[in-house]
Amino acid sequence: MILKYLSQGLKIGDIPKQLEDDESIITSKSSIEKRLTIIKKLCGAKTPFHLAVIAKERKLI
């Protein structure tokens, strides 16, 4: 879900609110940032935008 929201242009600070609205998942901005850091390392991305591009290329989103 985080990658999907990034690919839609949401900022990291807006993702917790969107998760709560769409999926009834309550999380914090810092939790999102920690998960993104791990995902970026796994994918070799340097920025959240780069991560979204990689995810689209790999058809993860």
Side-chain angles (χ1 to χ4, degrees):
M1 295 302 300
I2 296 170
L3 293 176
K4 177 182 141 189
Y5 292 138
L6 280 177
S7 71
Q8 293 173 349
L10 264 68
K11 295 182 181 179
I12 294 171
D14 298 331
I15 292 175
K17 175 72 171 131
Q18 195 67 36
L19 280 171
E20 186 176 343
D21 291 346
D22 292 350
E23 306 294 327
S24 298
I25 298 171
I26 298 173
T27 189
S28 66
K29 180 182 173 185
S30 66
S31 175
I32 298 293
E33 289 171 338
K34 288 175 188 174
R35 291 175 190 204
L36 279 175
T37 300
I38 293 168
I39 297 169
K40 284 191 309 187
K41 285 181 183 179
L42 290 172
C43 293
K46 297 187 189 244
T47 65
F49 178 80
H50 187 208
L51 178 60
V53 170
I54 290 171
K56 279 205 173 233
E57 287 175 350
R58 293 183 184 176
K59 300 189 191 293
L60 298 174
I61 51 176

